[in-house]
Amino acid sequence: CKSVPDVGIDAIALSVPRGYVELSELAEARGVPPSKYLSGLGMRRMAIAAPDEDPVTLAVNAARRLFERSGASPAEIGLCIVGTETAVDHSKPVTAFVHGLLDLPSTCRIFEAKHACFGGTAGLLSAVDWIASGSARGRAALVVCTDIARYPLRSAGEPTQGAGAVALLVREKPRLLSLDVGQTGTFARDVHDFWRPLHHKEALVDGHYSVQCYLDALEGAYDAWRRLDGATDEPLVRTCYHVPYGKMARKAHRHRRMIDGLTEEVADASFVVEVEPSLDLPSRIGNVYTGSLYLALASLLNTQARELAGRRIGLFSYGSGCCAEFFAGRTNPEAAELVTRLQIDGPLRDCQRLTVAEYERLRAEDAVADSRPAPTRAAEGTVNEGGRAVYLGVDS
Ligand code: HMG
């Protein structure tokens, strides 16, 4: 019988905007008890992108950090996919800017993947299949998830905003996580739970309905996964979920473990061990849409890579609209040493707290950033400030 190739995530790096808002302060400004955001939603902070921190800048910063920290070279990349729902153009993909700014090979296939928060997973699983099929011919893939989650000020979604990028290096014999190639459970359905009409920066959402759509999709994808040969032979010691806000992961875990036959009490008790370590970074950054599941994975590996060596973990991705996928992988023994080198949470150390007034001012500036004059050819390009790539998409 044909052997299954060992393919998965070799390295991870993040980038986040400079500023964040403490949700306890936002709650006070909105006249809401802080406990609603902190324990009701399970979030502590939300990262806020300034107008010069667009999805291209965030993506390039994460990918640069990935290469610097992992020891990989852009010359090894044969496929680059950017998952985003915060595109900067209807036609030219964010990936084209990333390709240019990182000096990726001209022989590299590049494209952008859009399906709400599922776009990053669409990219990752396509990259895994590309390598497993033999098309990669020894090359690696770069998958970058980059997004800015914005809801209207004072809306119910406001405390679930966030921004950031997660870059993944995907290759054979990965050092972090070997994925179960070809073993995914998928669920898709046409639902209208969350959408961003063209030219809207802010998302529109039917909030409580979107929670139900997420849970229905989890049930469908998990059920499809459980039916696969051998999927449940070995337990999943941890599971990372798509995290629009921490409480959603808690609800998801309860739902999934009850499908496994646990009582609500036992399912909830298992949350602390099986899920909580993956929620530290999401609770400090917010929803990063396409990167959200991978931010949860980064959080888990950042704290527990050593004890998880050789252990199996589950991954659940949800994108509104909707498509969802449940899959699994095994943490590799080299992961702990590499995680120390990757310094996954390093970018959060330079962040600065914004007051609610400063956040509202940034949002007002951001709302008009795209209506400045179109770029001239001479004005397009990049400058590099202290090692930080800055994308100049407009003539400023
Ligand atoms: P809401 O209506 O303001 O909140 O919005 P709520 O009244 O439902 O309360 C939230 C929780 O806080 C509840 O707990 C309350 O009991 C609790 P739960 O019943 O859910 O366990 N609570 C308190 N707890 C402690 N102290 C208090 C207190 N008061 C209340 N004083 C909602 C919540 C999530 C709907 C809103 O934030 C929203 O619309 N968010 C955006 C949409 C979203 O994140 N949906 C998630 C599923 S869809 C998805 O994940 C896809 C997405 O990432 C997009 C994509 O795919 O591209 C969004």
Side-chain angles (χ1 to χ4, degrees):
C1 73
K2 226 173 133 198
S3 70
V4 179
D6 178 14
V7 183
I9 299 173
D10 183 70
I12 295 186
L14 316 178
S15 82
V16 287
R18 294 179 293 271
Y20 67 86
V21 171
E22 287 287 354
L23 288 188
S24 53
E25 291 180 24
L26 182 71
E28 210 173 301
R30 300 293 180 249
V32 168
S35 58
K36 173 166 179 185
Y37 295 170
L38 303 181
S39 80
L41 296 177
M43 300 303 282
R44 288 155 57 197
R45 292 177 177 172
M46 58 183 191
I48 300 298
D52 67 331
E53 295 173 308
D54 73 357
V56 174
T57 307
L58 293 168
V60 170
N61 286 341
R64 284 225 167 113
R65 188 175 170 85
L66 182 80
F67 288 121
E68 280 162 18
R69 294 268 157 188
S70 71
S73 152
E76 298 170 53
I77 304 300
L79 171 67
C80 176
I81 306 172
V82 173
T84 187
E85 54 176 300
T86 322
V88 295
D89 190 280
H90 290 313
S91 176
K92 184 169 176 174
V94 169
T95 331
F97 296 101
V98 170
H99 178 268
L101 290 166
L102 294 174
D103 213 9
L104 296 179
S106 59
T107 50
C108 184
R109 179 186 296 160
I110 61 169
F111 61 93
E112 186 179 290
K114 182 184 82 174
H115 182 140
C117 297
F118 184 73
T121 300
L124 170 65
L125 297 179
S126 303
V128 168
D129 289 346
W130 174 74
I131 295 169
S133 71
S135 294
R137 300 186 301 277
R139 294 170 296 169
L142 171 66
V143 176
V144 191
C145 311
T146 183
D147 271 307
I148 298 172
R150 298 185 190 90
Y151 298 93
L153 298 188
R154 296 173 188 80
S155 68
E158 186 182 32
T160 68
Q161 296 176 119
V166 183
L168 306 170
L169 188 63
V170 186
R171 62 162 25 137
E172 253 184 302
K173 300 195 176 46
R175 288 170 289 178
L176 293 182
L177 188 76
S178 293
L179 293 171
D180 295 349
V181 175
Q183 295 278 94
T184 71
T186 311
F187 177 87
R189 190 171 67 181
D190 180 8
V191 291
H192 210 53
D193 59 335
F194 165 103
W195 60 105
R196 274 210 252 196
L198 301 178
H199 307 300
H200 269 239
K201 280 199 154 185
E202 293 160 354
L204 304 177
V205 60
D206 189 343
H208 291 107
Y209 177 58
S210 74
V211 171
Q212 193 52 52
C213 290
Y214 177 123
L215 294 175
D216 291 349
L218 168 64
E219 190 167 327
Y222 186 55
D223 190 49
W225 178 80
R226 290 201 316 161
R227 290 166 191 271
L228 298 169
D229 260 2
T232 55
D233 286 356
E234 194 187 323
L236 302 173
V237 296
R238 303 282 183 276
T239 298
C240 297
Y241 296 89
H242 168 57
V243 191
Y245 55 98
K247 176 66 93 51
M248 187 70 240
R250 185 182 279 273
K251 285 178 196 283
H253 187 67
R254 173 191 287 174
H255 196 67
R256 183 176 76 80
R257 297 301 267 141
M258 287 177 71
I259 295 171
D260 287 337
L262 303 190
T263 62
E264 190 172 301
E265 254 180 10
V266 177
D268 283 354
S270 71
F271 171 86
V272 177
V273 172
E274 294 179 18
V275 184
E276 213 164 57
S278 65
L279 298 182
D280 176 51
L281 292 174
S283 76
R284 290 157 65 194
I285 297 173
N287 193 354
V288 292
Y289 288 157
T290 47
S292 170
L293 166 62
Y294 305 100
L295 189 60
L297 176 65
S299 188
L300 178 66
L301 294 176
N302 199 36
T303 49
Q304 298 195 328
R306 194 166 301 282
E307 68 188 270
L308 293 178
R311 312 296 297 279
R312 235 171 141 229
I313 65 176
L315 297 146
F316 174 68
S317 179
Y318 175 75
S320 285
C322 71
C323 188
E325 205 130 341
F326 194 94
F327 52 111
R330 191 180 304 279
T331 314
N332 283 320
E334 305 96 301
E337 201 194 313
L338 180 62
V339 161
T340 310
R341 263 203 286 143
L342 290 173
Q343 294 280 305
I344 289 175
D345 58 354
L348 275 80
R349 286 183 211 133
D350 302 329
C351 292
Q352 293 152 18
R353 187 178 66 82
L354 300 170
T355 62
V356 173
E358 285 167 334
Y359 147 66
E360 289 181 352
R361 216 165 25 246
L362 274 182
R363 283 294 296 269
E365 285 170 23
D366 191 39
V368 293
D370 294 345
S371 56
R372 284 183 282 170
T376 61
R377 288 194 71 173
E380 259 185 27
T382 61
V383 292
N384 202 304
E385 292 177 349
R388 210 178 158 93
V390 179
Y391 157 70
L392 298 177
V394 289
D395 193 350
S396 47

